[in-house]
Short mmCIF file of all heavy atoms in Angstrom, two decimals:
data_model
loop_
_atom_site.label_atom_id
_atom_site.label_comp_id
_atom_site.label_asym_id
_atom_site.label_seq_id
_atom_site.Cartn_x
_atom_site.Cartn_y
_atom_site.Cartn_z
N TYR A 105 93.59 166.19 88.20
CA TYR A 105 93.78 164.89 88.85
C TYR A 105 92.57 164.02 88.57
O TYR A 105 91.43 164.47 88.73
CB TYR A 105 93.96 165.08 90.36
CG TYR A 105 94.06 163.77 91.10
CD1 TYR A 105 95.28 163.11 91.20
CD2 TYR A 105 92.93 163.19 91.66
CE1 TYR A 105 95.37 161.89 91.86
CE2 TYR A 105 93.03 161.96 92.32
CZ TYR A 105 94.24 161.33 92.42
OH TYR A 105 94.32 160.12 93.05
N TRP A 135 103.94 151.21 98.64
CA TRP A 135 102.63 151.10 97.99
C TRP A 135 102.47 152.17 96.92
O TRP A 135 102.02 151.88 95.81
CB TRP A 135 101.52 151.21 99.02
CG TRP A 135 100.17 150.84 98.48
CD1 TRP A 135 99.55 149.64 98.56
CD2 TRP A 135 99.29 151.69 97.72
NE1 TRP A 135 98.33 149.67 97.92
CE2 TRP A 135 98.14 150.92 97.40
CE3 TRP A 135 99.35 153.01 97.30
CZ2 TRP A 135 97.08 151.45 96.66
CZ3 TRP A 135 98.29 153.54 96.56
CH2 TRP A 135 97.17 152.76 96.25
N PHE A 136 102.85 153.39 97.23
CA PHE A 136 102.72 154.48 96.27
C PHE A 136 103.60 154.24 95.05
O PHE A 136 103.19 154.48 93.91
CB PHE A 136 103.09 155.82 96.92
CG PHE A 136 102.08 156.34 97.90
CD1 PHE A 136 102.47 156.75 99.15
CD2 PHE A 136 100.73 156.42 97.56
CE1 PHE A 136 101.53 157.24 100.07
CE2 PHE A 136 99.79 156.90 98.47
CZ PHE A 136 100.20 157.31 99.72
N TYR A 140 101.68 153.99 91.54
CA TYR A 140 101.76 155.17 90.67
C TYR A 140 103.05 155.28 89.89
O TYR A 140 103.17 156.14 89.01
CB TYR A 140 101.59 156.44 91.51
CG TYR A 140 100.32 156.48 92.32
CD1 TYR A 140 100.35 156.89 93.64
CD2 TYR A 140 99.10 156.12 91.78
CE1 TYR A 140 99.19 156.94 94.41
CE2 TYR A 140 97.94 156.16 92.52
CZ TYR A 140 97.99 156.57 93.84
OH TYR A 140 96.84 156.62 94.59
N ALA A 149 102.64 161.85 95.57
CA ALA A 149 101.94 161.03 96.58
C ALA A 149 102.67 161.02 97.92
O ALA A 149 102.04 161.23 98.97
CB ALA A 149 101.75 159.61 96.06
N ALA A 153 101.30 162.65 101.43
CA ALA A 153 101.02 161.74 102.55
C ALA A 153 101.80 162.16 103.79
O ALA A 153 101.28 162.11 104.92
CB ALA A 153 101.37 160.31 102.17
N TRP A 156 100.28 165.42 105.22
CA TRP A 156 98.98 165.14 105.81
C TRP A 156 99.11 164.38 107.13
O TRP A 156 98.37 164.62 108.08
CB TRP A 156 98.16 164.33 104.80
CG TRP A 156 97.00 163.61 105.37
CD1 TRP A 156 95.77 164.12 105.66
CD2 TRP A 156 96.96 162.23 105.74
NE1 TRP A 156 94.96 163.13 106.18
CE2 TRP A 156 95.67 161.97 106.24
CE3 TRP A 156 97.88 161.19 105.69
CZ2 TRP A 156 95.29 160.72 106.69
CZ3 TRP A 156 97.51 159.95 106.14
CH2 TRP A 156 96.22 159.72 106.63
N PRO A 166 100.82 150.42 104.57
CA PRO A 166 100.32 150.42 103.20
C PRO A 166 98.83 150.72 103.11
O PRO A 166 98.34 151.13 102.05
CB PRO A 166 100.63 149.01 102.71
CG PRO A 166 101.72 148.52 103.58
CD PRO A 166 101.50 149.16 104.92
N ALA A 167 98.09 150.53 104.20
CA ALA A 167 96.66 150.81 104.20
C ALA A 167 96.36 152.25 103.88
O ALA A 167 95.25 152.58 103.44
CB ALA A 167 96.05 150.44 105.56
N VAL A 168 97.31 153.16 104.08
CA VAL A 168 97.12 154.56 103.70
C VAL A 168 96.83 154.66 102.21
O VAL A 168 95.90 155.34 101.78
CB VAL A 168 98.37 155.40 104.05
CG1 VAL A 168 98.28 156.79 103.46
CG2 VAL A 168 98.53 155.48 105.57
N GLY A 169 97.62 153.97 101.41
CA GLY A 169 97.42 154.01 99.97
C GLY A 169 96.20 153.26 99.53
O GLY A 169 95.47 153.70 98.63
N GLN A 170 95.92 152.14 100.17
CA GLN A 170 94.79 151.32 99.77
C GLN A 170 93.47 152.07 99.94
O GLN A 170 92.51 151.84 99.20
CB GLN A 170 94.79 150.03 100.58
CG GLN A 170 95.95 149.11 100.23
CD GLN A 170 96.25 148.08 101.30
OE1 GLN A 170 95.52 147.98 102.29
NE2 GLN A 170 97.33 147.34 101.13
N LYS A 171 93.42 153.00 100.88
CA LYS A 171 92.21 153.79 101.08
C LYS A 171 91.97 154.74 99.92
O LYS A 171 90.86 155.22 99.70
CB LYS A 171 92.31 154.60 102.37
CG LYS A 171 92.19 153.76 103.64
CD LYS A 171 90.76 153.32 103.85
CE LYS A 171 90.60 152.57 105.16
NZ LYS A 171 89.22 152.12 105.38
N LEU A 172 93.05 155.06 99.17
CA LEU A 172 92.95 156.04 98.09
C LEU A 172 92.72 155.42 96.73
O LEU A 172 92.49 156.13 95.76
CB LEU A 172 94.23 156.89 98.04
CG LEU A 172 94.64 157.59 99.35
CD1 LEU A 172 95.96 158.29 99.15
CD2 LEU A 172 93.56 158.57 99.79
N SER A 173 92.81 154.11 96.65
CA SER A 173 92.77 153.46 95.34
C SER A 173 91.39 153.54 94.71
O SER A 173 90.37 153.44 95.38
CB SER A 173 93.19 151.99 95.47
OG SER A 173 92.34 151.33 96.37
N ALA A 174 91.37 153.76 93.41
CA ALA A 174 90.12 153.77 92.65
C ALA A 174 90.44 153.30 91.24
O ALA A 174 91.47 153.63 90.68
CB ALA A 174 89.52 155.16 92.62
N GLY A 175 89.56 152.52 90.66
CA GLY A 175 89.80 151.97 89.34
C GLY A 175 89.75 153.02 88.25
O GLY A 175 88.93 153.94 88.29
N GLY A 196 84.65 157.74 94.54
CA GLY A 196 85.61 157.45 95.60
C GLY A 196 85.23 158.00 96.96
O GLY A 196 86.05 158.03 97.87
N HIS A 199 82.86 153.74 100.25
CA HIS A 199 83.30 152.36 100.05
C HIS A 199 82.28 151.38 100.60
O HIS A 199 82.39 150.17 100.37
CB HIS A 199 84.66 152.14 100.72
CG HIS A 199 85.75 152.99 100.16
ND1 HIS A 199 86.40 152.69 98.99
CD2 HIS A 199 86.30 154.15 100.60
CE1 HIS A 199 87.30 153.62 98.73
NE2 HIS A 199 87.26 154.51 99.70
N TRP A 311 95.87 170.33 95.23
CA TRP A 311 96.87 169.69 96.06
C TRP A 311 98.23 170.34 95.82
O TRP A 311 98.59 170.63 94.66
CB TRP A 311 96.96 168.20 95.75
CG TRP A 311 95.71 167.44 96.07
CD1 TRP A 311 94.71 167.11 95.22
CD2 TRP A 311 95.32 166.95 97.36
NE1 TRP A 311 93.71 166.43 95.89
CE2 TRP A 311 94.06 166.31 97.19
CE3 TRP A 311 95.91 166.97 98.61
CZ2 TRP A 311 93.40 165.72 98.26
CZ3 TRP A 311 95.25 166.37 99.67
CH2 TRP A 311 94.01 165.76 99.49
N HIS A 426 89.88 156.26 108.00
CA HIS A 426 89.76 157.33 107.01
C HIS A 426 88.37 157.26 106.39
O HIS A 426 88.17 156.61 105.35
CB HIS A 426 90.83 157.19 105.93
CG HIS A 426 92.22 157.21 106.48
ND1 HIS A 426 93.27 156.54 105.89
CD2 HIS A 426 92.74 157.82 107.58
CE1 HIS A 426 94.37 156.75 106.59
NE2 HIS A 426 94.07 157.51 107.61
#
Side-chain angles (χ1 to χ4, degrees):
Y105 176 84
W135 191 96
F136 288 130
Y140 304 135
W156 162 82
V168 171
Q170 292 160 5
K171 287 287 184 181
L172 306 176
S173 59
H199 298 281
W311 296 97
H426 302 150

